[in-house]
């Protein structure tokens, strides 16, 4: 049934887009419009936990380090870093030719203000844990900062490269306070113009420190949750890049000589979080049954038109210390057996949430049909992104949490196993601190997470993360689904716009030709 629904939907979208005018509208010189699938929820990268908003904030903000398209670490606002013998002190040498958009000089004091702000628990910033390894931030001179750690770390620079550790103008922090999320002032290639919920505008930074960049005069990001409408923007020429591209329309786009398809291997995992502290998901047999109940290959084919691979570990293959576990086989008979053993021979009723958009709703509908075949009746409750954020991460205690099942994804933008696992699985990561909405708590996993975080020895880290992934795979706090290929649609006149494996977009080199 799902396949037939998708096929009909594909034909409807194809018919809609073919009927659109082929002539592209007149564009402002060098202005690029990007269509995305969800709303932007804020523009302070230190206080964001969704990929769309974090990606948008990259227009304005930068960190000391960043990643290239292969997730290799590269210096940005830092020139180099010296690390002491036991990896407990990082001395960072900063660029000397950078100013914030408001004219404030970028220097070591600005970095200290930002890092102390992010580290302070009283500020309740969502990305606080990125810097929790730091004990002290010391200004050595105007362009040198020393980070003194609580324990040895071999991964700190990866955390500094995360968009959530970006540097904001100290003047803007002081001026706007909690409203700084609506007044983004950074060192990035574009300056803020305006923002409504579904429309963000940015203009070229004329004083950008990378001479000759950015190439575009401006960027508009439009939030369009309905896949057909997003595709229509691209086909009509109103947008020059859209993500995600509805996978079932790839062939339609391929036949359009004006358009191209960009495919990027990702580190994004798709899964269903199960609240392990609420019945019936407190029983590991139930959680394992749900993993047996889902045909992962069919899920990828029907929902993502084959653009992906079944998840075979708690982290994606592109993540450091990935440890392959295999794929949970599709076995409905085994699922029914485990449900009966757990006391649910006739199944049970429950509810699944998601961030409401076309693709997430389609994925959830597929899961509902598969689970119904083993007697589990699931009601879909699609939530608007702002509402979902509050309901998912607003609970102060596990007892307050309403979530039972949540279909979502995770893009660990440090490229390292710690950030792929600890925010989602540590017992210290329950909301509102972090994102463990499975409320998974396991003493052995907690101990190994601390071992992996507290050493710079690669061998010891690998041993810890190998063990964690094995334990998590067996104890199944999630339904493990897929690692998808990122599929975007692009106007061939647009070059230089890069999508990273965590879904983020980089705009510096983008231009319309």
């Amino acid at each position: 049934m799902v396949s037939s629904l998708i096929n009909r939907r594909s034909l409807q979208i194809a018919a809609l887009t073919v009927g659109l005018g082929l002539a592209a509208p007149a564009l402002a010189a060098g202005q690029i419009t990007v269509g995305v699938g969800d709303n932007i929820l804020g523009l302070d990268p230190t206080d964001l936990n969704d990929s769309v908003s974090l990606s948008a904030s990259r227009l304005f903000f930068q960190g000391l380090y960043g990643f290239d398209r292969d997730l290799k670490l590269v210096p940005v606002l830092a020139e180099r870093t010296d690390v002491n013998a036991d990896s407990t002190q990082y001395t960072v040498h900063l660029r000397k030719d950078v100013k914030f958009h408001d004219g404030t000089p970028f220097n070591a004091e600005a970095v200290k203000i930002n890092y102390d702000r992010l580290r302070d628990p009283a500020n309740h910033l969502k990305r606080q844990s990125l810097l929790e390894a730091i004990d002290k931030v010391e200004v050595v001179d105007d362009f040198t900062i020393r980070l003194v750690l609580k324990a040895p770390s071999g991964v700190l620079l990866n955390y500094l490269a995360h968009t959530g550790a970006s540097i904001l103008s100290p003047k803007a922090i002081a001026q706007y306070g909690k409203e700084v999320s609506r007044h983004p002032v950074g060192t990035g290639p574009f300056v803020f113009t305006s923002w409504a919920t579904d429309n963000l505008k940015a203009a070229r930074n004329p004083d950008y420190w990378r001479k000759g960049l950015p190439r575009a005069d401006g960027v508009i990001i439009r939030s369009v949750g309905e896949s057909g409408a997003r595709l229509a923007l691209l086909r009509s020429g109103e947008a020059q890049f859209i993500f995600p591209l509805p996978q079932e329309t790839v062939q339609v786009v391929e036949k359009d000589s004006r358009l191209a398809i960009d495919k990027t291997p990702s580190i994004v995992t798709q899964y269903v979080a199960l609240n392990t502290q609420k019945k019936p998901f407190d029983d590991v047999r139930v959680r394992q049954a749900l993993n047996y109940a889902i045909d992962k290959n069919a899920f990828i084919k029907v929902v993502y038109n084959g653009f992906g691979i079944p998840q075979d570990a708690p982290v994606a293959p592109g993540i450091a210390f990935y440890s392959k576990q295999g794929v949970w086989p599709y076995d409905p008979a085994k699922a029914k057996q485990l449900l009966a053993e757990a006391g649910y021979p006739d199944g049970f009723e429950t509810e699944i949430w998601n961030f409401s958009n076309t693709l997430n709703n389609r994925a959830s509908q597929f899961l509902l049909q598969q689970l119904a075949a083993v007697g589990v009746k699931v009601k879909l409750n699609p939530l608007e992104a702002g509402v979902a954020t509050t309901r998912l991460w607003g609970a102060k205690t596990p007892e307050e949490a309403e979530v039972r099942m949540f279909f979502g994804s995770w893009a660990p933008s440090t490229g390292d196993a710690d950030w792929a696992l600890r925010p989602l699985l540590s017992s210290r990561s329950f909301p509102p601190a972090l994102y463990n909405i499975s409320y998974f708590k396991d003493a052995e996993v907690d101990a190994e997470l601390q071992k992996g975080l507290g050493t710079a020895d690669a061998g010891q880290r690998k041993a810890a993360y190998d063990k964690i992934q094995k334990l998590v795979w067996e104890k199944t706090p999630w339904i493990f689904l897929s690692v998808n290929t990122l599929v975007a649609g692009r106007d061939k006149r647009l070059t230089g716009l890069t999508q990273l494996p965590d879904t983020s977009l980089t705009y510096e080199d983008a231009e319309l030709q």
Side-chain angles (χ1 to χ4, degrees):
M1 179 179 176
V2 172
S3 297
S4 62
L5 286 173
I6 300 307
N7 290 336
R8 287 199 300 272
R9 180 60 181 154
S10 302
L11 292 172
Q12 290 167 359
I13 294 176
L16 167 67
T17 56
V18 168
L20 293 169
L22 294 180
L27 296 168
Q31 180 172 282
I32 295 166
T33 298
V34 174
V36 298
D38 291 295
N39 286 339
I40 295 167
L41 303 180
L43 293 169
D44 174 3
T46 68
D47 200 30
L48 296 171
N49 53 25
D50 71 288
S51 296
V52 170
S53 302
L54 280 165
S55 180
S57 76
R58 292 167 64 96
L59 288 166
F60 314 113
F61 297 107
Q62 298 170 308
L64 301 190
Y65 281 82
F67 295 103
D68 65 15
R69 65 187 308 157
D70 299 316
L71 282 186
K72 289 186 172 61
L73 199 68
V74 292
V76 182
L77 297 178
E79 291 185 335
R80 73 179 195 279
T81 297
D82 302 322
V83 184
N84 69 348
D86 62 359
S87 299
T88 57
Q89 291 188 15
Y90 285 63
T91 302
V92 187
H93 303 273
L94 307 175
R95 297 191 63 90
K96 301 179 177 65
D97 55 350
V98 181
K99 288 186 177 180
F100 292 97
H101 300 157
D102 57 12
T104 304
F106 167 77
N107 54 27
E109 185 60 32
V111 176
K112 177 174 172 56
I113 289 170
N114 271 268
Y115 283 2
D116 285 348
R117 170 181 177 262
L118 181 53
R119 293 169 54 241
D120 186 351
N123 291 326
H124 301 292
L125 296 171
K126 294 182 178 68
R127 294 297 177 177
Q128 178 195 336
S129 64
L130 287 172
L131 302 185
E132 72 175 1
I134 298 175
D135 185 46
K136 289 186 295 184
V137 180
E138 299 174 343
V139 173
V140 178
D141 59 41
D142 280 354
F143 296 100
T144 310
I145 197 90
R146 179 175 296 121
L147 308 176
V148 181
L149 309 189
K150 301 170 185 175
S153 174
V155 74
L156 179 67
L157 296 186
N158 291 65
Y159 281 84
L160 302 187
H162 191 288
T163 307
S166 297
I167 307 298
L168 287 63
S169 162
K171 180 179 177 181
I173 292 172
Q175 179 177 352
Y176 298 113
K178 293 182 179 180
E179 291 298 308
V180 74
S181 188
R182 301 199 67 86
H183 302 276
V185 183
T187 61
F190 293 89
V191 297
F192 176 72
T193 301
S194 65
W195 172 45
T197 303
D198 59 357
N199 197 302
L200 173 67
K201 295 182 179 180
R204 184 178 187 274
N205 177 7
D207 300 315
Y208 188 46
W209 58 273
R210 282 180 166 149
K211 302 307 178 188
L213 297 176
R215 303 186 190 281
D217 293 332
V219 174
I220 297 173
I221 299 178
R222 294 182 59 176
S223 301
V224 185
E226 205 283 313
S227 291
R230 193 163 60 255
L231 177 61
L233 286 180
L234 181 68
R235 292 277 289 166
S236 68
E238 293 180 66
Q240 292 75 54
F241 189 93
I242 64 168
F243 173 77
L245 176 70
Q247 284 92 338
E248 71 274 10
T249 65
V250 165
Q251 291 183 338
V252 175
V253 175
E254 285 176 334
K255 292 177 182 177
D256 191 324
S257 61
R258 300 167 303 127
L259 304 179
I261 294 172
D262 292 345
K263 302 172 186 176
T264 305
S266 88
I267 56 169
V268 183
T269 52
Q270 306 284 338
Y271 63 96
V272 176
L274 306 171
N275 189 334
T276 60
Q277 297 197 24
K278 303 286 188 184
K279 290 185 178 300
F281 306 117
D282 58 342
D283 191 318
V284 69
R285 293 170 295 185
V286 170
R287 304 196 299 269
Q288 291 176 347
L290 301 193
N291 274 279
Y292 282 118
I294 305 299
D295 185 335
K296 316 305 186 301
N297 288 307
F299 173 80
I300 294 165
K301 182 178 180 180
V302 171
V303 180
Y304 301 107
N305 206 34
F307 290 99
I309 58 174
Q311 192 173 356
D312 62 7
V315 308
I319 296 295
F321 305 112
Y322 154 81
S323 178
K324 184 176 180 178
Q325 304 298 310
V327 175
W328 277 88
Y330 176 53
D331 191 339
K334 181 68 172 178
K336 291 179 180 179
Q337 176 192 331
L338 285 169
L339 288 171
E341 290 176 6
Y344 302 95
D346 301 317
F348 56 87
E349 296 184 6
T350 188
E351 180 180 62
I352 189 169
W353 297 355
N354 67 24
F355 285 79
S356 181
N357 61 41
T358 303
L359 204 56
N360 286 349
N361 291 341
R362 181 190 308 160
S364 298
Q365 289 289 354
F366 178 90
L367 297 173
L368 264 59
Q369 292 186 29
Q370 293 257 292
L371 294 174
V374 298
V376 177
K377 301 176 180 63
V378 185
K379 177 185 177 183
L380 173 59
N381 188 355
L383 302 175
E384 185 274 324
V387 174
T389 297
T390 300
R391 295 188 71 180
L392 282 170
W393 298 301
K396 299 296 189 295
T397 65
E399 291 74 23
E400 289 181 20
E402 300 176 35
V403 63
R404 295 300 192 271
M405 304 174 69
F406 175 72
F407 171 75
S409 61
W410 183 247
S413 300
T414 66
D416 185 83
D418 175 68
W419 195 248
L421 296 166
R422 184 167 50 90
L424 303 177
L425 295 165
S426 169
S427 64
R428 297 173 58 191
S429 299
F430 292 170
L434 280 169
Y435 321 114
N436 183 356
I437 55 173
S438 293
Y439 293 92
F440 178 72
K441 182 176 183 179
D442 184 88
E444 199 170 5
V445 169
D446 282 347
E448 294 299 324
L449 285 169
Q450 290 307 306
K451 286 181 186 178
L453 181 63
T455 180
D457 184 280
Q460 293 179 26
R461 297 192 76 219
K462 182 180 186 307
Y465 295 122
D466 283 352
K467 189 170 184 180
I468 292 165
Q469 290 175 77
K470 184 176 186 296
L471 287 167
V472 170
W473 201 250
E474 294 169 351
K475 298 188 178 185
T476 56
W478 309 330
I479 303 175
F480 301 99
L481 295 172
S482 64
V483 180
N484 294 347
T485 300
L486 307 181
V487 184
R490 175 174 55 84
D491 188 315
K492 287 182 178 178
R493 295 173 298 165
L494 175 64
T495 61
L497 183 64
T498 300
Q499 186 159 40
L500 301 183
D502 68 348
T503 75
S504 296
L505 299 175
T506 60
Y507 294 92
E508 278 185 332
D509 293 303
E511 63 178 328
L512 281 172
Q513 297 179 330

